[in-house]
Amino acid sequence: VAAASLKKKSFAQGGARVATPDTTTGTNAPSVKSQIDTLLAGNTLGKNDVVLINGGMSDIVAAVQATGISAATSATVDTAARALADQVRRVVAAGATHVVVSGVYNLGITPWAAPWGRSSPMGGGPITNLSVAFNDRLLIQIADMGATVLYFDPALFFNLIYNKPTSYPIDNATAPVCTTPDASTCTLATIQPGADPTRWLFADSLYFTPTAQRLWVSDTYLENAYTRFKNRW
């Protein structure tokens, strides 16, 4: 969660789930709900504020790790999407008139998703289905808030890179460039031998490299977040 006006505030932490504290990744990240509690407790939102909200990835990962590919996992993911929509509704009710909500990108294209199977080399399969289900439920739940809420679609953008990396400054779109378990402990000494980390899509099995993240806000490429924001506001 981030809010921008005369003062910039950021509460986002890696591993954060939507409605429950993180207890599995070791970061002990507060939930998105808790982050919004903190935001609203100390700030009055108005027309000069932009609120950025994202969540869901960690909920999908935790659900799959807990109950595999199952009806229980699907239900947990649906609940998380509804919970994120509830948080969006909270900030709108608190006076925010410019709210950006980002869905989850397609986790089915990640190295992390490979053990659960893919329906094609271009991604797909049960993890993709969970990602799509999360985004679809979120969009349904916030459909009536179009006057104040703008949806960013990272699934579309990063699918474009994954499916055709040669159209982007990306040489490897399938493997993590870091040899450490997660990107937070990665250094230039722990990347794949001979790799240029500025030309890989994935830093670790779940998270993108800084280069890939910057592509997402570059108006050089179609479906980027910057252009969507500029055209709306």
Side-chain angles (χ1 to χ4, degrees):
V1 178
S5 59
L6 294 179
K7 296 181 179 179
K8 297 180 180 179
K9 299 178 182 293
S10 178
F11 303 93
Q13 293 188 42
R17 295 166 65 178
V18 175
T20 58
D22 166 49
T23 58
T24 59
T25 68
T27 66
N28 297 315
S31 67
V32 174
K33 178 184 180 301
S34 177
Q35 294 171 34
I36 292 175
D37 290 342
T38 303
L39 171 68
L40 297 182
N43 300 274
T44 300
L45 301 177
K47 64 180 181 180
N48 294 324
D49 296 299
V50 175
V51 181
L52 311 175
I53 303 176
N54 168 249
M57 184 180 81
S58 295
D59 294 86
I60 293 173
V61 171
V64 170
Q65 291 174 338
T67 52
I69 304 302
S70 65
T73 295
S74 296
T76 299
V77 170
D78 186 78
T79 298
R82 291 173 184 269
L84 187 60
D86 289 343
Q87 298 313 308
V88 175
R89 202 168 293 278
R90 281 182 71 196
V91 298
V92 171
T97 59
H98 300 78
V99 181
V100 176
V101 183
S102 177
V104 298
Y105 73 92
N106 176 12
L107 299 184
I109 68 174
T110 66
W112 171 80
W116 283 278
R118 291 173 176 159
S119 59
S120 76
M122 294 300 185
I127 305 299
T128 290
N129 294 341
L130 289 170
S131 303
V132 171
F134 180 93
N135 289 338
D136 285 351
R137 173 57 67 188
L138 173 62
L139 285 167
I140 289 171
Q141 298 300 116
I142 64 174
D144 63 318
M145 292 186 283
T148 54
V149 175
L150 172 63
Y151 179 76
F152 281 175
D153 191 354
L156 173 58
F157 184 81
F158 289 106
N159 277 350
L160 292 172
I161 298 179
Y162 182 83
N163 290 331
K164 198 172 182 180
T166 54
S167 296
Y168 302 83
I170 298 294
D171 295 328
N172 189 310
T174 58
V177 70
C178 295
T179 59
T180 54
D182 74 72
S184 68
T185 58
C186 187
T187 68
L188 290 177
T190 60
I191 62 173
Q192 297 289 347
D196 177 354
T198 69
R199 297 190 64 85
W200 286 50
L201 180 59
F202 290 103
D204 59 24
S205 63
L206 273 170
Y207 291 94
F208 297 121
T209 61
T211 294
Q213 295 281 10
R214 285 191 287 270
L215 294 178
W216 171 224
V217 294
S218 169
D219 60 3
T220 304
Y221 304 100
L222 294 175
E223 307 299 339
N224 72 86
Y226 171 75
T227 298
R228 284 184 59 80
F229 185 89
K230 182 179 69 173
N231 288 345
R232 173 68 182 273
W233 288 311

